[in-house]
Amino acid sequence: MKTALITGITGQDGSYLAEFLLEQGYKVYGLVRRSSIINFERIRQIQNRIDLIHGDLLDQNSLTEALKISRPDEVYNLAGPSFVPASLDQPILAAETTGLGVTRLLEAIRITKPDIRFYQASTSEVFSNAMEVPQNENTPISPGGHYGFAKAYAHWVTLYYRQAYDLFTCLGICYNHESPRRGVEFLPRKISDGVAKIKMGKSAQLKLGNLEARRDWGFAGDYIKAMWLMLQQDSPDTFVIATGLLHSVKELVEIAFNYVKLDYRDYVVSDPQYFRPESKTPLIGDWSKAKRVLGWKPEVTFPELVEMMVEADMVANGK
């Protein structure tokens, strides 16, 4: 039986990955911070099947101890704030957790159990100022903003430990991926939750920013399979995980409102406070290497994803 340690297990990706690994017969450990405000809602259904260990990416001793307790074959680092605007408010914390935290974890692996296979969650934000469209594994790293800077550092340090210490470290450059488990601070979930509340008579309007903004959106449940596949290969590598398709916020809104048989124009209000600076280059991922090497492909279509999220929020709002 293989053993895995997941940091960020209470998050969207961590919860899907934990479920998937259990299905594969893994013993699953999750790293959680000592905090009274941790939300276990996403892992409630599997909490009695996993073991949680207290640890923090800010504390290397706790990471070393977590590795000694779990003795994992695989470590998936999915921890850290993934909501980009939050890094603007807490840039030092973003750098410490998202950037330096990866160095602490890799050092703990190098010292404690160097045969561990390690997955680092990279992001399309490392390409914010890239000139290539679409982006692939060879596109030069060119981040914008504190979150992108921290992720770029984590990206490079993961590569460094692969090259300098011969550790099995993989990078998944994941583009936007959503699900019913996304926090409502993220735009797609804000929309699905807002649509459900409007349909249920709990809200009268939905305030949004730029409806013409476009993203490469996929389903989180598909992306975690790619993470696992990377660690099953003969050698460590880097992969772009994306759909290769751009969709506008307007398209997302139309699908969501159409699903509940409403016209979005009757409810959506444009609010300047929600407008966010767009990347100079459209962030769209070329996932052909993942298809060729891993045999991976995105399975849930964009309309299916949006409808899945609206349906889940309808149920949550008392459908």
Side-chain angles (χ1 to χ4, degrees), residues 4-18 21 28-33 38 43 50-59 62-64 66-67 70 72 74-82 97-98 101-106 108-109 116-122 151 224 227 231:
L5 173 66
I6 303 172
T7 73
I9 195 169
T10 61
Q12 170 188 256
D13 291 7
S15 63
Y16 278 112
L17 179 61
L21 293 179
V28 176
Y29 289 86
L31 190 76
V32 295
R33 287 174 294 136
I38 292 175
I43 58 170
I50 60 178
D51 288 287
L52 300 179
I53 304 172
H54 289 295
D56 196 318
L57 290 180
L58 302 179
D59 177 8
S62 72
L63 300 177
T64 300
L67 293 176
S70 58
E74 301 170 359
V75 171
Y76 297 84
N77 182 37
L78 310 180
S82 57
T97 305
T98 306
V102 180
T103 306
R104 295 187 187 98
L105 184 52
L106 286 167
I109 289 172
I116 285 172
R117 295 190 169 205
F118 176 77
Y119 171 83
Q120 168 60 22
S122 193
K151 278 292 191 180
I224 58 95
M227 300 173 189
L231 299 196

Side-chain angles (χ1 to χ4, degrees), residues 120 136 159 186 218 252 255 280 300:
Q120 168 60 22
N136 60 41
L159 286 177
F186 289 85
L252 195 163
I255 294 170
K280 295 178 181 178
V300 175

Side-chain angles (χ1 to χ4, degrees), residues 70-253:
S70 58
R71 303 297 298 172
D73 300 293
E74 301 170 359
V75 171
Y76 297 84
N77 182 37
L78 310 180
S82 57
F83 185 53
V84 176
S87 65
L88 299 175
D89 299 326
Q90 298 179 302
I92 306 302
L93 181 62
E96 282 280 0
T97 305
T98 306
L100 285 175
V102 180
T103 306
R104 295 187 187 98
L105 184 52
L106 286 167
E107 265 298 282
I109 289 172
R110 183 182 71 83
I111 294 168
T112 308
K113 195 174 184 289
D115 63 338
I116 285 172
R117 295 190 169 205
F118 176 77
Y119 171 83
Q120 168 60 22
S122 193
T123 170
S124 59
E125 294 290 329
V126 300
F127 296 141
S128 289
N129 290 317
M131 303 304 292
E132 297 178 9
V133 181
Q135 299 84 39
N136 60 41
E137 293 81 5
N138 296 316
T139 300
I141 301 296
S142 182
H146 294 291
Y147 179 74
F149 300 150
K151 278 292 191 180
Y153 173 87
H155 186 107
W156 283 116
V157 82
T158 301
L159 286 177
Y160 175 75
Y161 273 76
R162 181 195 300 173
Q163 296 159 359
Y165 301 112
D166 199 28
L167 296 189
F168 196 108
T169 64
C170 291
L171 282 158
I173 307 174
C174 291
Y175 282 61
N176 293 64
H177 48 288
E178 316 296 332
S179 77
R181 299 181 189 178
R182 251 311 189 203
V184 290
E185 68 272 20
F186 289 85
L187 180 63
R189 180 69 199 291
K190 175 184 177 180
I191 291 171
S192 65
D193 181 64
V195 168
K197 283 183 167 62
I198 288 171
K199 181 63 175 180
M200 302 300 291
K202 296 181 178 181
S203 182
Q205 63 181 19
L206 178 59
K207 294 183 178 181
L208 299 174
N210 182 13
L211 295 185
E212 301 307 318
R214 298 189 300 164
R215 296 285 184 274
D216 184 334
W217 273 304
F219 173 50
D222 288 341
Y223 285 36
I224 58 95
K225 295 175 185 175
M227 300 173 189
W228 175 73
L229 285 167
M230 290 180 209
L231 299 196
Q232 313 313 309
Q233 304 306 304
D234 292 334
S235 57
D237 209 341
T238 300
F239 295 90
V240 165
I241 306 300
T243 70
L245 301 171
L246 282 179
H247 298 278
S248 68
V249 176
K250 181 180 178 181
E251 185 180 350
L252 195 163
V253 167

Side-chain angles (χ1 to χ4, degrees), residues 265-283:
R265 290 169 294 188
D266 295 331
Y267 304 97
V268 172
V269 177
S270 181
D271 190 330
Q273 71 170 310
Y274 296 116
F275 276 72
R276 176 183 158 194
E278 288 295 300
S279 299
K280 295 178 181 178
T281 303
L283 293 179

